[in-house]
Amino acid sequence: MKIKDIYNYLVELGIEKDPRGSEEVKASLVREKKKFDELKAEEQLEFDRERLTNPYADTRILCGDPEQEVESMLVGIDIEVGEIILADRLGEKGKPVDLILAHHPEGKALADLHYVMHLQEDILARFGVPINVAEGLMSSRISEVKRGLMPVNHNRAIDAAKLLGLAMACSHTVADNQVNTYLQELIERETPRTVGDILKLLKAIPEYAEATKYSAGPDVVLGSKDNRVGKVLVDMTGGTSGSEKSYAKLSQAGVGTIVGMHMSDKHREEAEKNHLNVVIAGHIASDSLGMNMLLDGIEKRGVEIIPCSGFIRHKRG
Ligand SMILES: [Zn+2]
């Protein structure tokens, strides 16, 4: 596969498992094109044209020639300068790396992470929060995240990759969509009665079983294992944590349990006030599960996957 084929495949699978539904995502691309057409010529020059075909600002080819063939790919959850040097060292030792794929975004994909957060408005609406309330809650949180990312040194790792002549890409929300939809469907199908039953379901998944060995597996951070679950919301996609104020609205809308990757104390406090149970499945294990669901199809097309940086590789049939 060429780098551009891998990139297009990642975006395609991201749309397929998007919690908004692929029709709604495609409609959003049409609206984006209309917005682009209405821009002035100088504004169009600044506009990132990838946005017309890729609805995920945090998934991008970051450097390298899109036409380059890829036989082997170094894949990690976080790719920093250390992993770039590692790719170069592997090449020197006779194991060349044609593409470095990060899960967490870098460069422009990190600076623009806030764009994908609008996806969370639709998830909130699907669980019974009126769309105007969902948009209101997300709006200030999205600008907070945008401002928080402004001072970051976004291009550090990419600059290292360029100096060493290595290609780099990242696939964030496209992977998180996989794990989110997979777990939401699993829980709806298996109808766990208690929070403890959710833990059992998660621990039967290889990535979580492996993470449990490193003390980084699923755990209950709010509520108890004997608590009844009520309606369960899997909250694992849409860039980063949403607004803590959404828990009051979700609780009123009938949600009883949140299953997430991670949760800040500020968020946990609001969840507690609203009597929600919270299961934290584990950050790196959840990221790994999402990445694995993307990579199986790429490996089948002849690309060797070299896992690094915490990535727990597990193949599915
Ligand atoms: Zn993550």
Side-chain angles (χ1 to χ4, degrees), residues 77 103-104 172 176 261-262 283-284 287:
I77 301 301
H103 172 57
H104 289 140
H172 189 224
D176 290 346
M261 289 196 197
H262 42 73
H283 183 190
I284 305 306
D287 283 344

Side-chain angles (χ1 to χ4, degrees), residues 82-234:
E83 282 78 19
I84 308 282
I85 307 285
L86 177 65
D88 188 60
R89 286 290 293 127
L90 284 168
E92 279 195 337
K93 290 180 125 186
K95 205 167 173 45
V97 169
D98 303 311
L99 175 64
I100 306 169
L101 182 67
H103 172 57
H104 289 140
E106 291 284 334
K108 183 181 174 51
L110 178 58
D112 284 343
L113 173 76
H114 59 96
Y115 283 118
V116 300
M117 294 178 73
H118 291 285
L119 183 159
Q120 297 184 44
E121 295 159 355
D122 291 67
I123 296 181
L124 290 169
R126 204 188 128 200
F127 278 82
V129 179
I131 190 65
N132 56 310
V133 175
E135 287 182 353
L137 287 168
M138 286 305 296
S139 153
S140 62
R141 175 65 183 143
I142 290 173
S143 24
E144 182 184 30
V145 169
K146 182 184 176 187
R147 288 193 307 276
L149 288 167
M150 283 164 85
V152 171
N153 187 356
H154 307 106
N155 280 323
R156 190 175 177 179
I158 302 167
D159 286 342
K162 282 181 184 165
L163 281 169
L164 290 167
L166 292 162
M168 183 173 171
C170 60
S171 64
H172 189 224
T173 290
V174 292
D176 290 346
N177 281 352
Q178 311 298 311
V179 56
N180 202 91
T181 297
Y182 174 72
L183 292 180
Q184 189 69 55
E185 287 176 357
L186 176 77
I187 289 168
E188 282 168 16
R189 199 169 57 237
E190 299 293 328
T191 60
R193 178 182 154 84
T194 64
V195 171
D197 292 339
I198 294 184
L199 282 185
K200 272 185 218 149
L201 268 182
L202 291 175
K203 286 185 181 181
I205 297 169
E207 286 85 347
Y208 293 121
E210 184 68 16
T212 301
K213 292 186 204 161
Y214 324 136
S215 303
D219 210 347
V220 181
V221 299
L222 198 57
S224 84
K225 283 184 189 175
D226 295 329
N227 285 3
R228 304 269 296 270
V229 297
K231 210 196 291 180
V232 182
L233 165 65
V234 177

